[in-house]
């Protein structure tokens, strides 16, 4: 049996669209930095593929939250 996706609690206020947009911008910046750092000349500044994937996943989740809020 699979669990149903959890809906937002009715008591919890929905985030403002501007807050969601700000989150997308911050997540995009983090992903862009991780992506650039993966090709760094300095070994200590490099990100791992896992860190880059995590930044991308966070960005994708933020975009999904924004998209869902506009429905």
């Amino acid at each position: 049996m699979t669990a149903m996706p959890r809906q937002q609690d009715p008591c919890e206020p929905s985030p403002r669209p501007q807050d969601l947009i700000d989150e997308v911008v911050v997540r995009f910046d983090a992903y862009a930095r991780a992506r650039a750092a993966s090709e760094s000349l300095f070994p200590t500044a490099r990100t791992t593929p896992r860190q880059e994937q995590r930044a991308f996943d966070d960005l994708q989740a933020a975009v999904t939250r924004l998209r869902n809020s506009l429905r």
Side-chain angles (χ1 to χ4, degrees):
M1 179 180 265
T2 59
M4 294 292 293
R6 187 172 164 244
Q7 297 294 324
Q8 191 173 19
D9 289 338
C11 300
E12 230 178 271
S14 297
R16 294 179 322 136
Q18 186 60 48
D19 292 340
L20 295 170
I21 292 168
D22 292 346
E23 182 185 9
V24 168
V25 171
V26 168
R27 299 294 184 177
F28 178 81
D29 184 56
Y31 173 66
R33 288 175 190 259
R35 179 82 182 180
S38 69
E39 300 167 3
S40 175
L41 295 175
F42 303 106
T44 56
R46 287 191 194 132
T47 56
T48 65
R50 177 178 273 179
Q51 290 168 318
E52 185 179 336
Q53 184 63 46
R54 174 64 190 254
F56 179 78
D57 292 343
D58 290 346
L59 172 60
Q60 195 171 31
V63 169
T64 299
R65 282 189 294 277
L66 175 60
R67 188 176 291 137
N68 288 343
S69 77
L70 299 175
R71 291 183 181 170

